[in-house]
Structures are given as structure tokens and as C-alpha cells.
């Protein structure tokens, strides 16, 4: 197992109270595997990815519980929750790299692309300038930047949005990370460029054998890219399973509602979309029981009282096939609203 997240909790201590942005989530990822994380805005997807990199702003945020177990080449396992800041500086970029929605989050507008890429290799790989420059040009070529040998000396603002996104991906891949976290990597881009960037991530994943945590609103993207899917609601994973099970045999009313409510890149059901009624709860004032029960057409008494424990739907004993749901109602599909 490359990374195993166990019962992770990241809370923000604000004037409105304790915001339980991530509230006890568990998942694991192997090399070469793509886990998609989906869920409405505010469900805790970005806080999850920032937690893995230990980039939660403190104050107001803190990882208050759980483990992030990362395995090294030699089979040694370390818990990133406990790791020192100096250790995390090495882990970031070197073992876990992140692609953000907005490239300017990781690109410095005042430095040429060459300076930024070379610095990463000097810092993490101890390379000399000439070698680092050669490797950076190669990486820009690998992500499809034309005339990379000269474009490398551009400033970020001289590049188009799609090209900036490619530079950021090149920067993330520069040190062959074991885990690539892509948080809404394409939402700011037009559809053609989106498809190109996703192909690029898939191609680089194959070439490097990296694991990918792919966070997106777009279920079409998940269907195309992911091996497994975790559905987040109010800081928890309410359903997780192989991509086919989540799309064709979803068990959680929220997952079913989500797939009926979100437009997809790959189909044109626009007119048939059915929004989920109501709003997600305030994470500072979660309802008792299942956090989805106030919006759920299937809720029974237990849903208002007790948080549902995980229940195995299928694939028991086989991690890659395992389909787990957190819902008290056993036969949601058979009780269509
Ligand atoms: N610095 C912060 N201070 C207080 N609350 C925060 C902070 N950062 C995030 N949160 C809260 O954590 C919750 C989860 O936010 P997060 O950014 O993870 O959502 P998300 O699922 O990534 O949403 P989106 O799809 O819009 O990107 C939100 O309710 C947000 O208000
Ligand atoms: Mg986000």
C-alpha cells in the first residue's frame, strides 16, 4: 500500500464554532491506482488534499486525529501526521505532488518558468544548473509544450492558461512523485484543453507508476479516469467503491442524487438533471445522526439518531473490489422516491 489514510480529522477553530471540514475519513491508494473524490462544494475535498500535504493553515485549522501512513521504497511506513516540518518539506514535491485548480497557486509570477523548475531540482535532487535545465526542458516537452527549449524562459503571464496548467503539471512531475494529487485540475480550462490535460495526467501516471488522487465535480472525468471513487458529504466519505459500482450500483441516496444532479462533460442530459433538494449542513453545526438525513427522501428514525457505520455492499476481502456505504437504509435502489 502506498498511502493509507485512517480516520483523518481536520477541524477549523473559528468564531462560529468548530468547523468539522474533514471528520473521520479513511481510504488507501496503491501505486498505479487512481482514486476519484467527488462531492458538492464545501464537502471537504480540498481540505483532504491539503491535509495529506500538511498545508492546512494553522490557525485556524488543525489535523486533530487519525493517521496518514506513507510507505517508502524500502517498505518503511511513516505517519505524516506526526512528521516534522523539515521532513514534510522533503515529502512535498518529492513523494507527494499537487496540481491545483489555479496554476498561479504554485507558479511565481515574478520568476521565469526556467528558474522555478530548476530550483525544484536543485532543492530536491541536488542537481547542478545545467543538468536541472536539461531535465526541465525534457519535462516541458513531455507535457506537450511546443518549443520548450525557448518557452522555458518565459514568465508565467506570457503563457496561455492551458500552457500554464501544463507547466504546473511538469513542475509537479519533475521529481517523479509517488502520489499526485490533482484538485480540480481542469475546471478553469476550456473543454478541449481539459481533455488534453486529463490524457496527460493519465499518460504520466502510466509512465511513472504513480498513484493519483483526483478531486473533481465532474463525474464524467471520474468515469473516464478513476479506478475507485470516494463520495464525500459533510466531511465524511459516505460511499466508496470501484468506479463501475458507484456509477451503476450506487447505494447511498446522496451518491444517487449527485449523479442525477451534476452535468457531465461526456453527455448531454442537461434537461433531465434533478437537483438534490435542500442545502449541505453547516459543518460547525452538523445534525445528529447521518449528516445527509435532512435532505434524504429515504430517512428512517435511525438516520436522525445514529451516524451509520460502514456497511460492505460487495467485494469483501478484496480491497480493489470493495464497495462500502454508510447508510442505515439497506435497499435504497428498491425504494425509489
Ligand atoms: N481556513 C479555513 N477556515 C475556516 N474554514 C475553512 C477553512 N478552509 C476550509 N474551511 C471549511 O472547510 C470546509 C470544506 O472546504 P473544502 O475547501 O475542502 O471544500 P471542497 O469540497 O474542496 O469544495 P469545492 O468543491 O468548492 O472546492 C468548508 O466548509 C470551508 O468553509
Ligand atoms: Mg476544493
Amino acid at each position: 500500500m502506498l498511502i493509507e489514510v485512517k480516520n483523518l480529522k481536520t477541524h477549523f477553530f473559528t468564531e462560529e464554532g468548530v468547523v468539522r471540514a474533514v471528520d473521520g475519513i479513511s481510504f488507501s491508494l496503491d501505486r498505479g491506482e487512481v482514486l476519484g473524490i467527488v462531492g458538492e462544494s464545501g464537502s471537504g475535498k480540498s481540505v483532504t488534499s491539503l491535509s495529506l500535504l500538511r498545508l492546512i493553515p494553522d490557525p485556524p485549522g488543525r489535523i486533530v486525529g487519525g493517521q496518514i501512513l506513507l510507505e517508502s521504497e524500502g517498505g518503511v511506513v511513516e505517519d505524516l501526521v506526526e512528521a516534522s516540518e523539515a521532513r514534510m518539506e522533503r515529502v512535498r514535491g518529492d513523494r507527494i505532488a499537487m496540481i491545483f485548480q489555479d496554476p498561479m497557486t504554485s507558479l511565481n509570477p515574478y520568476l521565469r518558468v526556467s528558474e522555478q523548475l530548476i530550483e525544484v531540482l536543485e532543492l530536491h535532487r541536488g542537481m547542478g544548473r545545467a543538468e536541472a535545465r536539461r531535465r526541465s526542458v525534457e519535462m516541458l516537452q513531455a507535457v506537450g509544450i511546443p518549443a520548450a527549449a525557448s518557452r522555458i524562459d518565459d514568465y508565467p503571464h506570457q503563457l496561455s492558461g492551458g500552457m500554464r496548467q501544463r507547466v504546473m503539471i511538469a513542475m509537479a512531475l519533475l521529481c517523479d512523485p509517488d502520489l499526485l494529487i490533482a484538485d480540480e485540475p481542469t475546471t478553469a480550462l476550456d473543454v478541449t484543453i481539459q481533455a488534453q490535460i486529463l490524457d496527460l495526467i493519465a499518460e504520466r501516471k502510466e509512465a511513472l507508476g504513480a498513484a493519483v488522487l483526483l478531486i473533481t465535480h465532474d463525474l464524467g472525468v471520474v468515469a473516464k479516469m478513476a479506478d475507485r471513487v470516494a463520495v464525500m458529504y459533510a466531511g465524511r466519505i459516505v460511499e466508496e467503491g470501484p468506479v463501475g459500482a458507484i456509477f451503476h450500483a450506487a447505494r447511498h441516496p446522496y451518491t444517487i442524487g449527485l449523479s442525477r444532479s451534476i452535468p457531465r462533460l461526456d453527455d448531454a442530459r442537461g434537461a433531465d438533471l434533478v437537483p438534490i433538494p435542500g442545502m449541505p449542513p453547516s459543518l460547525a453545526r452538523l445534525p445528529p445522526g447521518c449528516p445527509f438525513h435532512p435532505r434524504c427522501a429515504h430517512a428512517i428514525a435511525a438516520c436522525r439518531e445514529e451516524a451509520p457505520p460502514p456497511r460492505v455492499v460487495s467485494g469483501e476481502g478484496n480491497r480493489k473490489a470493495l464497495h462500502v456505504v454508510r447508510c442505515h437504509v439497506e435497499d435504497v435502489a428498491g425504494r425509489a422516491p
Side-chain angles (χ1 to χ4, degrees), residues 10-14 16 19-22 37-50 56-57 59-61 101 183-184 215-217 232 235 281-284:
T10 303
H11 296 172
F12 293 92
F13 298 85
T14 71
E16 290 82 59
V19 175
R20 296 179 158 76
V22 168
I37 297 191
V38 299
E40 279 167 298
S41 189
S43 56
K45 304 181 300 293
S46 293
V47 172
T48 300
S49 49
L50 292 173
I56 297 294
Q101 178 172 348
D183 191 349
E184 304 277 5
I215 295 174
T216 176
H217 281 95
M232 280 192 82
S282 153
L283 299 179

Side-chain angles (χ1 to χ4, degrees), residues 165-198:
Q165 199 77 2
R166 282 165 192 257
V167 168
M168 185 174 53
I169 292 174
M171 185 144 93
L173 295 171
L174 215 44
C175 297
D176 295 347
D178 296 308
L179 173 63
L180 183 63
I181 302 176
D183 191 349
E184 304 277 5
T186 59
T187 33
L189 303 172
D190 76 53
V191 173
T192 325
I193 312 283
Q194 271 191 36
Q196 287 173 12
I197 297 285
L198 292 172

Side-chain angles (χ1 to χ4, degrees), residues 230-250:
V231 181
M232 280 192 82
Y233 187 78
R236 302 178 197 175
I237 293 176
V238 294
E239 184 162 15
E240 196 205 330
V243 66
I246 297 300
F247 280 97
H248 303 299

Side-chain angles (χ1 to χ4, degrees), residues 282-314:
S282 153
L283 299 179
R285 268 178 291 279
L286 287 172
C290 170
F292 188 61
H293 88 253
R295 301 173 76 184
C296 184
H298 302 282
I300 55 177
C303 307
R304 290 180 272 274
E305 286 151 18
E306 210 187 309
R311 172 162 54 84
V312 175
V313 177
S314 56

Side-chain angles (χ1 to χ4, degrees), residues 104-312:
M104 298 318 279
T105 313
S106 42
L107 294 178
N108 181 333
Y110 302 108
L111 291 178
R112 294 176 198 278
V113 167
S114 51
E115 295 169 70
Q116 305 189 44
L117 296 180
I118 289 167
E119 190 193 328
V120 170
L121 288 169
E122 286 177 336
L123 192 75
H124 284 282
R125 285 289 179 272
M127 281 186 190
R129 277 197 83 78
E131 192 192 358
R133 186 179 169 93
R134 205 175 327 114
R135 168 98 176 116
S136 300
V137 171
E138 272 171 24
M139 190 50 84
L140 292 180
Q141 279 164 345
V143 299
I145 295 193
S150 60
R151 295 315 294 266
I152 192 171
D153 288 315
D154 282 356
Y155 288 92
H157 70 83
Q158 293 176 281
L159 300 164
S160 67
M163 288 298 148
R164 277 201 291 263
Q165 199 77 2
R166 282 165 192 257
V167 168
M168 185 174 53
I169 292 174
M171 185 144 93
L173 295 171
L174 215 44
C175 297
D176 295 347
D178 296 308
L179 173 63
L180 183 63
I181 302 176
D183 191 349
E184 304 277 5
T186 59
T187 33
L189 303 172
D190 76 53
V191 173
T192 325
I193 312 283
Q194 271 191 36
Q196 287 173 12
I197 297 285
L198 292 172
D199 286 345
L200 176 63
I201 292 175
E203 186 261 321
R204 291 281 91 199
K205 181 207 75 160
E206 289 300 324
L208 302 172
V212 179
L213 190 65
L214 178 68
I215 295 174
T216 176
H217 281 95
D218 191 323
L219 298 183
V221 168
V222 171
K224 180 167 169 239
M225 302 274 294
D227 300 303
R228 297 181 57 78
V229 183
V231 181
M232 280 192 82
Y233 187 78
R236 302 178 197 175
I237 293 176
V238 294
E239 184 162 15
E240 196 205 330
V243 66
I246 297 300
F247 280 97
H248 303 299
R251 290 301 190 94
H252 200 287
Y254 178 64
T255 312
I256 296 168
L258 199 62
S259 59
R260 288 185 187 151
S261 69
I262 295 190
R264 285 160 56 162
L265 201 63
D266 65 344
D267 74 8
R269 294 172 310 166
D272 298 335
L273 296 176
V274 187
I276 303 174
M279 297 265 289
S282 153
L283 299 179
R285 268 178 291 279
L286 287 172
C290 170
F292 188 61
H293 88 253
R295 301 173 76 184
C296 184
H298 302 282
I300 55 177
C303 307
R304 290 180 272 274
E305 286 151 18
E306 210 187 309
R311 172 162 54 84
V312 175

